[in-house]
C-alpha cells in the first residue's frame, strides 16, 4: 500500500502494451526498425535539401523543417516506449511526464501550423506565380516557421499547466505508452471538469484554425486551377499539392480522433492504437510521401549521392 501511495504522488506507471505479454519482443523489434528508418529517412531528406542548392526554395525549406520536427517528435516518445517494452517497471516521474507532454504538444501543435504555412506556400506558387519569388523570401519563410513554433510553444505551456497544475493524480496508472493528454487527464481530472472543457476547447482551436487556413488556401488554389483552359495544364498544379493534402488528411484524422471526438478522455485501447499511427508511422510516412512523389527531389538526391560517393567524377 505504501508503494502505491508513493507512486501516486511521484510517478506514473505506463501500462502501454503490457497486456501483450510475449508479443512485446516482436513489437520492440518492429518499433526499433521503424524508428531507425524514420531517423535515417529524415536525415537523408534534410541533408539533401541542405547540400543541393537547387532545392533552396520555400517548399523544400518547409519540408526540411517538417523533417526536423518529425525527428524530434519521435525522439521525445519512441526511445522511452522501447525501453518500457522490455522493462519490468514501466515508471515515469510526474516531472518527466509533464516534460514529455509539453515537448510533444509543442512539436505536434507546431506541426499543424507548419502545414498551414506549407498550404500558404502552395497558394502563393499557384495563385500568384509572378509575385512568388518576390514575396516568398527567405525572411518570410523563416518568419512563418518562427510563428508556427511560437504558437506551438504557447499552446504547449498552457495545456501542460492546465493538466498538471492544480491537483494531485488520483491514479498512478496510465493506460498508454506515453504521457498523452487523454490518459493523464483520466488520472488527474474528473469527467466534466472545467479543466477538461478548457483543454478540449484549446485543442479544438489549435486544430481548427490551421485547418481553416489550409482550406482557404486550397479553395483559392482550386478556383485558380479550374480557370486553366487545358486539362494537361491542371495536372501539374494538382500534383504539387497532392503530397501536402495526404499529409494534412492523415495528421487531422488522427488528431481529431484522439482529441476532438465525444468522450475522448474516457477510452484507452483505441487511443493507443491510433497513437501508434501518429507517433511511429506518420513521422516516417510524411517525409517519404513528400520526397518520393517528387521527381525534383529524387534527382537532387541522386546528385548528392553521386557527389558524396564519387567526388572525383563531380
Amino acid at each position: 500500500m505504501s508503494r502505491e501511495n508513493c507512486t501516486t504522488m511521484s510517478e506514473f506507471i505506463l501500462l502501454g502494451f503490457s497486456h501483450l505479454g510475449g508479443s512485446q519482443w516482436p513489437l520492440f523489434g518492429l518499433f526499433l526498425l521503424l524508428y531507425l528508418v524514420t531517423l535515417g529517412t529524415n536525415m537523408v531528406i534534410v541533408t539533401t535539401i541542405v547540400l543541393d542548392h537547387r532545392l533552396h526554395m520555400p517548399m523544400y525549406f518547409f519540408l526540411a523543417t517538417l523533417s526536423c520536427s518529425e525527428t524530434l517528435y519521435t525522439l521525445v516518445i519512441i526511445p522511452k516506449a522501447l525501453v518500457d517494452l522490455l522493462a519490468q517497471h514501466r515508471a515515469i516521474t510526474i516531472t518527466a511526464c509533464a516534460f514529455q507532454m509539453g515537448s510533444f504538444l509543442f512539436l505536434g501543435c507546431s506541426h499543424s501550423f507548419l502545414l498551414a504555412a506549407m498550404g500558404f506556400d502552395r497558394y502563393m506558387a499557384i495563385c500568384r506565380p509572378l509575385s512568388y519569388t518576390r514575396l516568398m523570401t527567405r525572411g518570410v519563410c523563416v518568419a512563418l516557421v518562427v510563428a508556427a513554433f511560437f504558437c506551438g510553444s504557447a499552446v504547449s505551456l498552457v495545456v501542460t499547466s492546465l493538466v498538471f497544475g492544480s491537483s494531485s493524480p488520483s491514479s498512478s496508472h496510465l493506460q498508454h505508452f506515453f504521457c498523452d493528454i487523454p490518459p493523464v487527464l483520466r488520472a488527474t481530472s474528473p469527467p466534466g471538469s472545467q479543466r477538461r472543457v478548457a483543454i478540449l476547447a484549446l485543442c479544438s482551436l489549435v486544430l481548427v484554425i490551421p485547418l481553416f487556413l489550409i482550406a482557404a488556401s486550397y479553395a483559392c488554389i482550386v478556383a485558380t486551377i479550374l480557370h486553366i483552359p487545358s486539362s494537361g495544364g491542371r495536372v501539374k498544379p494538382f500534383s504539387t499539392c497532392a503530397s501536402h493534402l495526404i499529409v494534412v488528411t492523415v495528421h487531422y484524422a488522427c488528431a481529431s480522433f484522439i482529441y476532438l471526438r465525444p468522450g475522448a478522455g474516457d477510452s484507452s485501447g483505441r487511443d493507443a492504437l491510433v497513437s501508434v499511427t501518429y507517433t511511429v508511422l506518420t513521422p516516417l510516412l510524411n517525409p517519404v510521401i513528400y520526397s518520393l512523389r517528387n521527381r525534383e527531389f529524387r534527382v537532387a538526391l541522386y546528385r548528392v549521392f553521386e557527389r558524396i560517393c564519387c567526388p572525383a567524377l563531380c
Side-chain angles (χ1 to χ4, degrees), residues 13 25 35 97 105 212 227 237 241-242 264 282-283 289 293 308 313:
I13 307 299
W25 272 102
Y35 181 56
C97 187
L105 276 175
F212 172 79
H227 281 88
C241 298
T282 304
I289 290 170
R293 294 189 76 259
I308 294 174
L313 301 177

Side-chain angles (χ1 to χ4, degrees), residues 15 29 37 46 73 78 93 99 102 124 127 137 148 184 188 190 201-202 228 257 282 290-291 303 308 310:
L15 299 181
V37 173
V46 174
Y73 188 87
I78 303 304
T93 65
F99 176 79
M124 293 297 296
C127 300
T137 62
V184 176
T188 60
L202 189 55
I228 298 176
F257 180 86
T282 304
Y290 268 109
S291 58
R303 285 197 300 264
I308 294 174
C310 309

Side-chain angles (χ1 to χ4, degrees), residues 86-99:
L86 304 182
Q88 294 296 321
H89 185 60
R90 305 173 179 88
I92 183 171
T93 65
I94 292 179
T95 301
C97 187
F99 176 79

